[in-house]
Amino acid sequence: FEIIVSGKRCFLSEAYKCQEAWERRLKTPILQKIKLDDFFYEIDLKNQNEGKISAVDIDLFANAIQDESHLDELQDLTHKLRLSANTGKTLQSTHHSFIRIFLSLGRHDELLHILNDRINYGIFPDYYCSCLLMDTFIKNKNYTAAAKVGVLQMLQEDWEDPLTNHLALYSCHMYLTSPNVEPWETQPQEDEPDDGEEIKVRVKYLRNPYFDDHFDLSDPKLLVGKTLASLGAQFPDPVGRTYQLVGLSLYNKWDKALALLQRFILSKHKPVIYQAGVKKMEELIEESLKSEDTSNKETIEKFSQVLHELKSDSVTEEDLHEAILGRVRRVVGEEEQRIIEKQCQVYKHWEKEREEVLQAEVDQLQKQQKLAEVEKLKKELDTKEKILFFFENEEKWQLEIENKRVKYEKQKQPGKAEKKIDDKDYIPPEVRRSSN
Amino acid sequence: MPIKYIGRTTDFKGKTLWEILGNLKNFGVGRIVVRSMFERYPEPSYMKILKVEPVTHEDCRKVRVLIERVFRGRKYPKPVGLYSVSYKADYRLLHKDEEADYCSFDPGEEKPERILPRTALFPPLFRVS
């Protein structure tokens, strides 16, 4: 049932946020005992002294946060965890609570920046979170941000969840068709002042320049194009076909677009695509023909020709916008309730998992402590034994002293120089002529 | 101030394993990675990721991986571990739609084993006569 509230387009209802189930996590005994400042200090100290940072600790920290004051600390700890070997053991609930806390405190830009910097932070939204993010951004009419979340799904090549697919399609559609969208890059790029000095950095191996057409993409047009192209393939109907072609045109892969269009015409699905899509593609064709890039001109012209030749019954005049809207609403109606119930189950499962992992770590620590104690005891008993039974074993000790005597010195092998210690801060001493 | 890197040159074309796996959810388990150096052969060579274990960060971060390796169309019987080669900036991720195309290999007729003769003549200078 559609709910139109004062002109805002809402898809997911308030119940989708599962706010009560989410807040119930705060009532578990472990989380109630945590004091955030002390906890952060302890984790930081342990990291500096031992270099170890535990995934459960970060998970507890992320879940215990409720206000703005500890967000920077959470970011810092997530980064440190990503650099350590324990990244592999990050719990699922860490990603979830990280995204939820940033979203609820309104730090959208920072959150998107962190989600796009996966190597340094490693926060990946699951299906529930990406739907929540896209819905929030669509409600705020921030179509750029919603399209960015859709792009994230494309980078993972993960189109399994129908609700995520539909919302991503809607976000990219609104990004393309809205008159004034916010720019993709929110932070202005600062060029560092060029002193003319070069900083020389020594690396083991030089990297050859390589552009993989996937994670390295940064141009919004190419990103949204690639998203639409792979997303459109998931919908076997005119909407999907339209968006596949539009996406490939945005992405500048004209040969693939041509091959696809010819295949659609041959497959005799009627109608093939929407009129709005044809119009958009004609605009893109004009733009790229003007842009003096001669490599694809023939393909583009052939594509444009085939497009014009599309018969009238292959192209529908229906409103693309309404079609997409209808589909999204239908999927929301079908899937929402099931997802909400599943998510409440998942929260309970995460609580249990957190307790189990924490208990396992505590047990491990205790085991190590006990082993250390036992070792200490063994050593003490050993020294005592040596003292008490000295005179019985006197001959044995004398033999051992004989064996320890070095018979010959280790000779220096020619060609094997001892390793020189490389001190970065070493400044060679100034040698001046002594005035004698 | 532009940074100039000085170091040994390589012929590699691609990214390090960590740069690929660190960008993927669940560290890319189940995805197929290809080494550009092995693309010189006509038969396909690729690696399917089974298990990933991240390692502490260094300058060029390595990662311990268990893979199912296929080299020149022939599959290794047991899973293989990679660690010390993961620093090489030579890896490339295959898209899911490209996988079927790239990995399909028709071995054709099996070439018969070449059995060499048990004896052969000595080299000319060693020959007695």
Side-chain angles (χ1 to χ4, degrees):
Chain A
F1 221 72
E2 38 203 81
I3 310 167
I4 303 178
V5 177
S6 65
K8 276 194 192 169
R9 203 134 259 158
C10 307
F11 290 121
L12 301 168
S13 59
E14 276 298 308
Y16 187 82
K17 288 194 198 154
C18 298
Q19 201 62 27
E20 302 153 358
W22 181 239
E23 310 224 320
R24 228 178 285 146
R25 84 193 188 284
L26 294 170
K27 300 205 179 84
T28 52
I30 319 175
L31 282 177
Q32 287 207 323
K33 278 191 233 162
I34 296 179
K35 282 178 222 141
L36 286 170
D37 292 313
D38 300 338
F39 196 31
F40 172 67
Y41 181 64
E42 277 172 27
I43 301 179
D44 215 13
L45 204 65
K46 192 172 159 202
N47 191 23
Q48 277 175 4
N49 294 345
E50 294 168 43
K52 282 191 230 168
I53 193 163
S54 141
V56 200
D57 287 339
I58 309 294
D59 188 45
L60 288 168
F61 193 83
N63 277 300
I65 286 194
Q66 294 175 57
D67 55 21
E68 285 208 331
S69 44
H70 300 280
L71 280 186
D72 293 323
E73 286 151 14
L74 177 62
Q75 221 175 323
D76 191 46
L77 284 179
T78 321
H79 182 53
K80 290 207 174 106
L81 178 63
R82 191 66 170 168
L83 296 179
S84 79
N86 281 327
T87 327
K89 300 188 198 147
T90 323
L91 298 166
Q92 263 297 319
S93 64
T94 318
H95 307 279
H96 192 95
S97 34
F98 191 101
I99 295 176
R100 267 195 104 126
I101 196 75
F102 267 78
L103 192 63
S104 62
L105 292 172
R107 307 273 205 107
H108 300 313
D109 287 336
E110 272 184 50
L111 178 60
L112 281 171
H113 172 73
I114 289 175
L115 288 177
N116 276 315
D117 193 3
R118 291 162 295 269
I119 291 204
N120 282 326
Y121 291 97
I123 304 284
F124 297 95
D126 49 10
Y127 298 126
Y128 178 84
C129 277
S130 26
C131 292
L132 191 62
L133 281 169
M134 282 194 273
D135 190 56
T136 320
F137 293 140
I138 290 174
K139 276 200 189 83
N140 297 342
K141 303 227 171 170
N142 188 358
Y143 298 121
T144 320
K148 280 188 191 175
V149 180
V151 163
L152 282 175
Q153 279 299 113
M154 179 277 289
L155 290 176
Q156 302 296 324
E157 294 187 66
D158 191 5
W159 298 120
E160 299 287 329
D161 188 46
L163 184 57
T164 322
N165 293 6
H166 282 85
L167 279 175
L169 189 62
Y170 183 76
S171 327
C172 293
H173 167 78
M174 293 308 283
Y175 176 73
L176 285 179
T177 56
S178 301
N180 39 352
V181 272
E182 286 170 27
W184 198 262
E185 290 290 330
T186 43
Q187 284 150 347
Q189 295 268 351
E190 292 164 17
D191 281 321
E192 286 180 22
D194 190 7
D195 302 9
E197 265 183 47
E198 272 182 344
I199 311 178
K200 295 190 184 161
V201 176
R202 181 93 170 76
V203 287
K204 266 192 170 175
Y205 297 100
L206 288 177
R207 296 279 294 260
N208 298 324
Y210 178 73
F211 180 74
D212 82 332
D213 226 356
H214 193 66
F215 295 121
D216 287 341
L217 287 168
S218 58
D219 185 12
K221 188 168 152 226
L222 299 177
L223 279 169
V224 174
K226 191 165 184 186
T227 313
L228 284 171
S230 58
L231 188 46
Q234 306 294 319
F235 296 91
D237 53 14
V239 176
R241 287 195 281 270
T242 318
Y243 268 118
Q244 250 190 306
L245 291 170
V246 171
L248 284 169
S249 327
L250 276 169
Y251 187 31
N252 279 339
K253 297 271 189 255
W254 298 102
D255 38 359
K256 283 195 191 153
L258 182 60
L260 206 61
L261 184 57
Q262 282 167 340
R263 219 177 67 204
F264 287 156
I265 294 177
L266 284 173
S267 67
K268 298 192 185 134
H269 293 280
K270 292 252 158 72
V272 175
I273 54 178
Y274 280 76
Q275 181 60 32
V278 175
K279 219 171 75 173
K280 181 81 191 174
M281 281 190 273
E282 282 169 1
E283 280 174 26
L284 289 168
I285 291 173
E286 254 189 65
E287 224 184 274
S288 57
L289 282 176
K290 265 191 241 166
S291 77
E292 293 169 21
D293 182 13
T294 45
S295 50
N296 289 330
K297 267 214 162 76
E298 284 176 29
T299 337
I300 302 180
E301 275 163 22
K302 200 161 170 219
F303 183 66
S304 154
Q305 196 187 10
V306 179
L307 209 61
H308 281 300
E309 282 169 13
L310 271 179
K311 290 181 240 178
S312 56
D313 60 347
S314 308
V315 181
T316 54
E317 290 285 335
E318 276 175 33
D319 192 5
L320 187 56
H321 183 81
E322 284 302 319
I324 298 184
L325 211 59
R327 278 199 178 73
V328 177
R329 291 220 177 100
R330 191 190 51 162
V331 170
V332 167
E334 286 169 13
E335 304 274 320
E336 196 180 349
Q337 199 52 39
R338 190 180 59 89
I339 294 182
I340 292 177
E341 283 165 12
K342 198 172 105 172
Q343 197 58 30
C344 294
Q345 294 298 323
V346 164
Y347 286 149
K348 289 190 193 137
H349 174 71
W350 281 345
E351 272 180 32
K352 264 189 242 149
E353 196 188 350
R354 210 174 298 148
E355 274 180 38
E356 280 169 25
V357 180
L358 196 62
Q359 193 58 38
E361 269 199 20
V362 164
D363 288 339
Q364 183 84 348
L365 248 170
Q366 282 182 345
K367 193 166 108 172
Q368 278 180 347
Q369 274 178 350
K370 279 202 184 130
L371 275 174
E373 273 177 38
V374 165
E375 281 298 319
K376 214 171 91 178
L377 208 64
K378 264 169 86 173
K379 255 179 132 182
E380 278 178 30
L381 285 174
D382 215 15
T383 39
K384 254 188 167 177
E385 198 191 315
K386 276 193 200 162
I387 297 173
L388 288 175
F389 291 100
F390 178 74
F391 290 105
E392 275 96 353
N393 299 336
E394 201 171 348
E395 291 150 2
K396 199 171 82 173
W397 297 128
Q398 282 178 345
L399 274 174
E400 284 202 11
I401 292 173
E402 272 299 312
N403 284 339
K404 278 199 185 164
R405 200 170 63 132
V406 175
K407 287 176 199 140
Y408 57 87
E409 271 181 24
K410 223 190 200 177
Q411 287 200 347
K412 243 201 206 168
Q413 279 182 329
K416 248 194 179 182
E418 269 178 30
K419 270 193 183 165
K420 292 187 193 154
I421 305 168
D422 198 28
D423 191 4
K424 281 185 202 153
D425 299 322
Y426 175 69
I427 308 169
E430 280 187 33
V431 177
R432 271 199 214 113
R433 186 176 282 227
S434 56
S435 53
N436 275 355
Chain B
M1 289 175 273
I3 304 180
K4 184 168 174 205
Y5 293 104
I6 303 180
R8 290 173 66 177
T9 51
T10 51
D11 273 339
F12 297 143
K13 233 175 47 169
K15 296 185 145 198
T16 65
L17 252 191
W18 175 250
E19 282 178 18
I20 296 179
L21 301 180
N23 265 317
L24 292 170
K25 224 195 279 206
N26 197 18
F27 297 109
V29 168
R31 297 297 297 267
I32 298 194
V33 170
V34 157
R35 252 196 87 162
S36 314
M37 269 307 199
F38 299 159
E39 292 190 327
R40 51 179 64 173
Y41 305 108
E43 305 94 339
S45 317
Y46 55 92
M47 304 182 261
K48 182 163 159 193
I49 311 247
L50 296 175
K51 205 168 140 191
V52 175
E53 215 184 278
V55 159
T56 331
H57 178 81
E58 297 158 336
D59 207 8
C60 206
R61 194 164 177 181
K62 294 200 253 200
V63 55
R64 208 176 295 273
V65 197
L66 199 69
I67 51 163
E68 243 177 42
R69 183 183 231 160
V70 170
F71 179 65
R72 290 187 74 175
R74 297 176 75 163
K75 189 162 158 310
Y76 283 41
K78 285 197 259 177
V80 174
L82 289 189
Y83 174 59
S84 47
V85 280
S86 51
Y87 77 93
K88 297 194 180 187
D90 201 25
Y91 297 92
R92 183 168 80 89
L93 183 67
L94 281 189
H95 288 305
K96 287 188 180 164
D97 14 344
E98 291 177 351
E99 276 175 19
D101 248 348
Y102 192 92
C103 304
S104 60
F105 175 62
D106 182 25
E109 272 183 37
E110 259 203 36
K111 284 191 256 182
E113 254 182 53
R114 239 176 56 172
I115 301 178
L116 297 169
R118 288 191 71 188
T119 53
L121 279 181
F122 268 130
L125 288 178
F126 281 152
R127 279 179 218 162
V128 174
S129 53

